[in-house]
Amino acid sequence: MATWAECAIGTILALLALGGGVTGSILVLLGPLGGLHLALDPVSALFLLVVCGTGAAAALECELPLLPVAVGALVVTLLAADGFILVLAFALASIALAPEWRGRSGLRFMAGGLLCLAAAVALLAPRNSGIDLRFAAMRSAAPEGLRAAAVLLLVLIGTGLHLISPSRPSPGGALLSGGKIAVAIYILVRVLFDLCGPAAPSWWGLPLLVIGAGTMVLAGLRANAADDLLAALGASRIGAVGLIAVGLGVAMTARGSDLASLSALTLAGALLHGVSYAVFDVLLVLCTGAVSRGAGSAVLSQLGGLIRSMPAVGMGALVGAACLAGLPLTAGFPGRWLVLQSLLAEPHPSRLWWHVVLALALAAVAFGSALQAAAAVRLVGIGFLGRPRTPQAAAAEDAPRPVRLMIAALAGSCMLIGLSPSALLALVQPALAQLLGVRLDGGRLLVIAAQADAPGYAALGIAAMLALAGGVVAWTLRQFANPAASRVPAWDGGMDAAPVGLLFGASATQYSAASAGLTVLQSFGYPAWRSNMQRWLKVSTALLQRRGAAGLGGALLLVLLGLLLWAVA
Amino acid sequence: MIALASLVLHAALMMTSAPLLAGLRALARARLLGRAGPSLIQPWRDLARLVRKHPVLPDTASWLFTCVPFVCLAAAIVAALLVPSFALGMLTAPLSDLVVLAGLLALARYALALAGYDTGTGLGGMGATRITLVAVWGEPAVLLIILVLASLAGSSNLDAIGTTLSEQPQGVLWFAAGVALAIVGFMLTGPGRDAAQLTLVHEAAMFDYSGRYLAMVAYAGQLGILVWLSLLAALFIPSGMASGGAGLMAWALGIVAWGLKVGALGVCLAVLEALAAGPGITRVPMVLGMTALLMWLAAVFVLASQRLA
Amino acid sequence: MTIATGPANGPAIQMMRAGEAHPMRPWPRYLLTPEAWRAMAQALRSDPTPEFLGLWADTAHVHALFMADAPLLASVRVEAGLFDALSPARPAAAGFERMVHDLWGHFAGGGVDPRPLLDQGRWPVLRPLSARPVPNAAPPDPPEFLGAAGHDLHQMPIGPIGGIMDPVHLRITAAGETIARLEAGLGYAHRGIPALMRGKTLLAAAPLAARITSDSTVAHSVAFARALEAAADINPPPRGHALRGIMMELERIATQLGDLGATPGFLGARCSDLREGVLRANHAAFGHRLLMDRVVPGGTSVDLTPAAASAIPTVLDRVASALPGLLRGLRLVKAMPRAGAGRLSLQLADIGECVRLLRIGLADLPPGAVNVAIPSESGEGLGVANGPRGDIWHWLQLDSGVVAANFARDPAWLQWPLAEAACSGASLSGVPSILRSFIPVSSGLEL
């Protein structure tokens, strides 16, 4: 209940800020380190929407005792207007989520990440008048040179550690980790676009771009290799973070090269993708929760045929997977389309390395999206279609009414976003204006486009044409076609149907989850890189687990180095 | 008004000629292999026959199975309406973004893959997985081709690219993109061949369709091939195409030119099919990956030469 | 014909030759006691020399055919429906043992595979060739497949209707596109030819032998005729003998071209076209396109027609001149897995050799009659012919001119296990070309 109240308050605040432009300080407590400040601006409002949505869904799924504290701390992180509160609230949220960590490596990831963030905040604070951690003070004294590079490195490591920290494989954990990922991205945006000021050099986008592109491909492969729904969704979530990172990187470099409109285009794409991804990610995680309760498992090889035994959940998963696949007219398309447009658009920074990296990023985005789509098709095709693979899947019951309603509402919003992305773009525009000083001028009523007068993506127009074409086909068939149809056992080359007593005896003749993933993975040379990957994983886990102290020590060393730089520069 | 008229004429042309193109391919292939071959309108007769038949559906399939043919066909029809045939400046010109077009064809493809999984048979699942496998390698190649075209023309809108092209002729990279599009289209559409069950891709996923549903899926496949060949014709052999506000005479010329171009491409396709058995599914990723790599190099070259100049 | 290498007097061979020699022609048959048979089966495990060719039965005995320096047929009397299995020592025997149980009801004790092979539970009687067949009313059991162990593999059922080549059910267990095991479910082409032949006169039985496999009909007829001629102890006249050779080479050319004709594209079309020419020449020269029933016990049923003098050389010239082009075309078919392409080029080389042999054979054809009459005698004979796909063996027991027991061993018996083994580890889409390169014709096996 407390969580829902928090989420409701947060959502109202966010809508007020985005709709009416009610922004500004909420709370100021004077004290040490420049005082404690909470404030609301369009950027935090946008992320507030996402976090409150995921938090509310998590309250439905999860019986974590400290859930209100965790969600509250995440909300406060977003509202923080000084570095102290930002790090403190984020640390509190991480601690409250402790039962969701997997093993002790979660603790190390979190501790290392927080240390790096704290060091970055410390480096950002201006040094002239004591230690002032207020955002306003940081904006006025943007870091330069080595100090700026150290901030970038620390923020990337800090948020990165939070992004990849493993969590317990439960639907609630997945939702909360989704919320945490949103906050980590918020910190990235806040620090790199806002606090570091508009004068960041253009190469700043490069690390983000490269990391994001690599992440997309690896996460896509991982999503195809995953053998349960939650793991596949988790990998896809990381893939979406990759796309957002690519967008942020391009936006960063464009801003550094004084190409404000290109920067706005890309950032709009990244933020739009983030917000819409959050919607269908929550939808898919709720469906997964319903499946693991209804069918007793979320492991793909034990599911099958759920669309008939759980119609509402199946429908929700179908909509969610279509979005995940990034098909046109779904919520997954407009953000990706905008990011792609920014890679295709003119003018661009005129540097050769930039174009090489850009083309590489486009290829990575393309492969990542296609792998994501393959994973989405496999998810629905194996999990929800075909024949049940276990008696539990055959006897699965649909989700209870509240969950069904929530799924319906989320699926509806996915369709709305898909059909009129301009509405969602309108929510993103204030944040763009705040961060870059410009709005995306291609966001028209029915069309989103790269420039104000260029042809673009008209979702409603395409949808109308599709509906018209479908209608014409249906009408033609009514006129000419044989209206009958009958159900028979699927043709199996003349073999007999499975005997009556053997309900699942022939289920081995159905395509399997592992085979569907392997076919795609094998084309990427799977058995060869698996062994290398395992060796690498072993080394890195050893570093993280057995040499945990070394990892923490490394983070500490980085912090000390940062402080040293701060003192010297 | 002219835009609407040209759209209606274009729609009629595309809808009628897609099965004719399939007939032409079958006829040309049979002639090349020393047989008499079927009539040119045989695909139309087959469609009519299928539509009148009583369809049977697998009892393991859900409602999705009967929806997929509508999705496939609607997406293919919309794609066909977005690609110009004989004239630019149709009513749908502002909508015809290349990324959206690729997305629509992907929609049809993935819908068919879901239908393959929905039958619950080994063959259907194999076809579905192969569709996604081809898509995983084909779609990046398509996006890289779009990148090259869009960088050369300054827009990813098909009509804008066509207009730019008719105003200024393009060089060797344009030709390379055309070849790449031809290869990728060949792999993605996977034109039907007389092959054994285990080598099928799309046909395996649609194996359990019958009657009107099979007619719809087959017609969607024929439209997909026509869309691909028309796209090749419009982008890479634009001669004869009427511009936005041209008169009836230019339209007539455009229609004749389009028919000749698409027919010639269809015959080329038949020769290709007759020459080789087509690469096995295990080699498709390699071919598509090579194409994507070449297009990536072309993209770097285009970007470097255009944007640095 | 396969020729065994190595010493021809290993322990197993000596044990077989120690048995009681039966007067089978042209080679004697050795009847072993069950104990000697068991010792021989044991000795085979460590003795690779006698090459296993086949195993079959009659109502009271089980016969195993081996190849040492000469064909070696060993028999054992079946006691209480049991005999000792050879499959632990010779894996290829497993299929024969399953078939022996299906048809005669003799169970192979200690065999590696007890599942039925031909009998899918739909025959009106069980064990149709045994002394006392049992009526069968029980509903058929679902077929049992071995599958393969592994995480979440899937099975793909292909056929028997609309399958890859023959009416065979293929059950493929695979991980993704990689095959873990391919199993053939047989029995769909079973016509009961041994049962039909039993009790038939010689001239009535010959057409049945000719219909075992249509594209090896001449070779089957020749093997059958040789077995019969051996049992009756006669020889065909020289001209009949030479004509048989010509027909066998013509059949070999037509069959190889037919196999190549299944290759998609230009190459296949060209080969089918050439095969049609050969078949027409067959019809012109012998009066039947597939040369069916042209070979009869005692010689051949027809002599060359006058048209043959021009028809056969013309078609041979056509084939010979097309061969280099086909070889080039084969190199173009890069899409084929290497094993399949290699086999196809061997087949092309084989066609060239056939053409050479045919030209020699046609050049000096001996004059005279084409057949002799067969006396109605009793006896036992073993005949062999080199068919287009491998060696074909026919075994016959005659009882005053009537077939008492018989068996035909087609090369498909040994090719099916090979094809199954070659498919494991291959990719799914490679199966058609692998099967096409082995051509395990199921009708030859299913009798």
Side-chain angles (χ1 to χ4, degrees), chain B residues 149-270:
Chain B
L149 295 181
S151 309
L152 287 170
S155 167
S156 69
N157 183 281
L158 191 48
D159 209 64
I161 296 176
T163 313
T164 315
L165 178 68
S166 57
E167 282 159 8
Q168 63 200 57
Q170 302 286 341
V172 63
L173 283 173
W174 196 264
F175 179 71
V179 173
L181 188 61
I183 295 174
V184 174
F186 184 62
M187 300 289 167
L188 280 178
T189 51
R193 307 180 193 96
D194 338 310
Q197 281 180 7
L198 283 171
T199 56
L200 301 178
V201 182
H202 297 78
E203 294 83 353
M206 54 195 253
F207 196 76
D208 281 293
Y209 277 119
S210 57
R212 58 178 184 273
Y213 300 109
L214 180 59
M216 287 158 85
V217 181
Y219 188 47
Q222 292 163 355
L223 267 176
I225 293 175
L226 182 64
V227 164
W228 162 49
L229 293 188
S230 294
L231 193 64
L232 271 179
L235 288 179
F236 302 102
I237 331 170
S239 44
M241 208 148 115
S243 58
L248 283 180
M249 202 52 214
W251 279 15
L253 188 69
I255 291 174
V256 172
W258 173 76
L260 285 177
K261 285 184 283 189
V262 170
L265 286 171
V267 171
C268 288
L269 191 57

Side-chain angles (χ1 to χ4, degrees), chain C residues 50-439:
Chain C
E51 194 182 337
F52 177 79
L53 292 183
L55 183 128
W56 59 87
D58 56 38
T59 46
H61 300 86
V62 168
H63 312 283
L65 179 63
F66 291 90
M67 177 60 87
D69 49 354
L72 194 57
L73 190 62
S75 309
V76 65
R77 173 169 288 280
V78 177
E79 290 185 342
L82 264 175
F83 67 101
D84 280 277
L86 299 182
S87 51
R90 295 286 186 275
F96 289 99
E97 287 168 0
R98 293 164 67 185
M99 175 271 295
V100 164
H101 186 249
D102 288 348
L103 295 182
W104 286 281
H106 309 326
F107 186 76
V112 296
D113 195 346
R115 295 173 300 158
L117 182 76
L118 301 180
D119 185 359
Q120 300 174 342
R122 292 166 196 281
W123 296 347
V125 292
L126 294 176
R127 308 194 281 279
L129 293 181
S130 65
R132 271 182 298 280
V134 187
N136 175 31
D141 287 334
E144 198 182 320
F145 294 100
L146 298 176
H151 170 63
D152 206 13
L153 303 179
H154 75 274
Q155 289 192 359
M156 179 99 69
I158 304 280
I161 302 172
I164 290 180
M165 312 170 40
D166 274 354
V168 176
H169 175 73
L170 295 180
R171 182 61 65 100
I172 300 172
T173 309
E177 291 280 314
T178 311
I179 296 172
R181 186 200 283 261
L182 177 139
E183 294 167 83
L186 298 167
Y188 295 96
H190 177 74
R191 292 143 292 167
I193 286 178
L196 286 171
M197 268 196 201
R198 205 159 54 171
K200 291 272 191 308
T201 61
L202 305 179
L203 292 176
L208 291 172
R211 275 152 186 79
I212 289 177
T213 298
S214 68
D215 57 8
S216 304
T217 170
V218 178
H220 268 287
S221 291
V222 169
F224 178 78
R226 280 186 184 157
L228 220 154
E229 287 152 10
D233 200 16
I234 54 158
N235 273 316
R239 187 171 176 86
H241 193 75
L243 284 180
R244 281 183 184 179
I246 286 170
M247 283 190 233
M248 279 176 72
E249 297 305 326
L250 282 171
E251 175 181 72
R252 179 180 286 266
I253 294 180
T255 305
Q256 308 282 40
L257 285 174
D259 295 349
L260 288 164
T263 325
F266 278 133
L267 183 72
R270 183 90 184 95
C271 289
S272 300
D273 188 33
L274 286 173
R275 174 172 184 262
E276 180 59 28
V278 175
L279 296 186
R280 284 180 189 174
N282 283 347
H283 190 259
F286 293 98
H288 193 285
R289 284 162 60 85
L290 293 174
L291 306 172
M292 206 172 262
D293 298 333
R294 304 297 108 165
V295 173
V296 290
T300 62
S301 63
V302 292
D303 201 346
L304 282 175
T305 59
S310 68
I312 296 182
T314 316
V315 80
L316 289 184
D317 290 343
R318 256 190 84 196
V319 171
S321 62
L323 276 180
L326 292 181
L327 214 52
R328 276 198 302 278
L330 196 59
R331 285 194 204 105
L332 251 174
V333 186
K334 286 272 165 50
M336 217 164 284
R338 199 168 293 161
R343 174 72 187 227
L344 292 185
S345 60
L346 281 181
Q347 284 179 324
L348 279 180
D350 198 17
I351 293 173
E353 182 64 14
C354 290
V355 170
R356 194 181 68 82
L357 289 176
L358 269 173
R359 281 181 177 148
I360 295 173
L362 284 169
D364 48 9
L365 212 52
V370 293
N371 55 17
V372 293
I374 302 255
S376 296
E377 282 187 32
S378 297
E380 184 175 349
L382 184 66
V384 61
N386 189 358
R389 307 238 159 82
D391 46 334
I392 293 171
W393 298 81
H394 274 251
W395 172 80
L396 270 180
Q397 270 183 337
L398 288 183
D399 187 6
S400 51
V402 168
V403 177
N406 70 92
F407 185 77
R409 201 231 56 172
D410 192 85
W413 274 107
L414 303 183
Q415 278 159 349
W416 261 119
L418 275 183
E420 286 180 350
C423 282
S424 70
S427 71
L428 280 181
S429 52
V431 169
S433 57
I434 292 177
L435 288 188
R436 214 181 288 134
S437 79
F438 280 98
I439 326 253

Side-chain angles (χ1 to χ4, degrees), chain B residues 22-47:
Chain B
L24 178 70
R25 269 177 39 226
L27 183 64
R29 194 169 40 161
R31 285 287 159 85
L32 284 167
L33 297 182
R35 286 174 307 190
S39 148
L40 205 60
I41 57 165
Q42 189 58 39
W44 265 121
R45 287 196 199 123
D46 288 342
L47 289 177

Side-chain angles (χ1 to χ4, degrees), chain A residues 87-487:
Chain A
V87 175
L88 193 70
F90 199 38
L92 185 62
S94 301
I95 291 167
L97 290 178
E100 294 292 333
W101 297 340
R102 193 153 60 183
R104 292 173 62 193
S105 59
L107 174 70
R108 291 183 187 121
F109 274 98
M110 188 211 74
L114 282 176
L115 272 175
C116 290
L117 284 183
V121 166
L123 273 179
L124 277 167
R127 297 155 303 137
N128 39 17
S129 54
I131 301 176
D132 190 351
L133 289 175
R134 281 177 304 129
F135 285 172
M138 292 179 186
R139 283 189 201 107
S140 61
E144 279 164 14
L146 270 181
R147 198 155 71 98
V151 167
L152 177 67
L153 183 70
L154 285 169
V155 168
L156 283 182
I157 294 176
T159 49
L161 282 179
H162 276 288
L163 287 178
I164 60 172
S165 72
S167 71
R168 221 152 48 86
S170 70
L175 287 169
L176 286 170
S177 102
K180 209 174 71 169
I181 285 175
V183 173
I185 293 173
Y186 162 78
I187 293 176
L188 205 62
V189 171
R190 173 66 75 186
V191 171
L192 296 184
F193 280 86
D194 185 16
L195 300 183
C196 288
S202 61
W203 63 264
W204 264 42
L206 197 59
L208 269 174
L209 191 62
V210 172
I211 293 172
T215 307
M216 272 201 86
V217 176
L218 286 181
L221 289 172
R222 186 77 193 79
N224 278 287
D227 52 7
D228 81 293
L229 290 170
L230 270 181
L233 291 181
S236 301
R237 202 176 296 130
I238 298 295
V241 173
L243 182 66
I244 294 170
V246 167
L248 292 181
V250 175
M252 201 89 187
T253 302
R255 194 179 62 155
S257 314
D258 293 326
L259 298 168
S261 65
L262 177 64
S263 184
L265 179 63
T266 331
L267 193 58
L271 294 180
L272 196 63
H273 190 69
V275 176
S276 43
Y277 192 91
V279 179
F280 58 79
D281 187 45
V282 170
L283 169 64
L284 283 168
V285 172
L286 282 185
C287 290
T288 306
V291 165
S292 52
R293 276 188 301 271
S297 169
V299 176
L300 280 172
S301 55
Q302 299 177 8
L303 302 176
L306 294 181
I307 200 163
R308 285 193 289 181
S309 47
M310 313 176 80
V313 174
M315 190 70 211
L318 194 64
V319 171
C323 298
L324 197 62
L327 295 174
L329 304 185
T330 66
F333 190 75
R336 203 169 65 96
W337 187 83
L338 280 176
V339 173
L340 281 176
Q341 286 300 313
S342 75
L343 300 181
L344 307 174
E346 299 278 351
H348 253 270
S350 56
R351 291 179 188 82
L352 184 59
W353 61 261
W354 176 248
H355 290 300
V356 175
V357 173
L358 206 64
L360 205 59
L362 184 86
V365 168
F367 269 107
S369 316
L371 282 167
Q372 197 106 289
V377 170
R378 170 173 172 261
L379 212 115
V380 175
I382 299 286
F384 291 86
L385 302 179
R387 283 180 287 155
R389 291 178 173 80
T390 54
Q392 288 87 346
E397 280 180 21
D398 212 345
R401 200 178 173 78
V403 178
R404 282 212 308 265
L405 283 177
M406 186 94 174
I407 286 175
L410 284 165
S413 4
C414 281
M415 289 179 169
L416 276 182
I417 295 174
L419 289 179
S420 71
S422 315
L424 195 61
L425 196 60
L427 289 184
V428 174
Q429 295 277 27
L432 290 183
Q434 186 201 344
L435 292 174
L436 304 171
V438 290
R439 287 166 176 263
L440 179 66
D441 45 10
R444 301 196 287 269
L445 187 58
L446 295 176
V447 183
I448 55 172
Q451 284 114 34
D453 50 349
Y457 166 53
L460 266 181
I462 301 281
M465 281 170 74
L466 268 180
L468 189 69
V472 168
V473 170
W475 181 84
T476 316
L477 286 179
R478 267 180 78 98
Q479 300 300 311
F480 300 107
N482 184 341
S486 49
R487 295 255 168 191

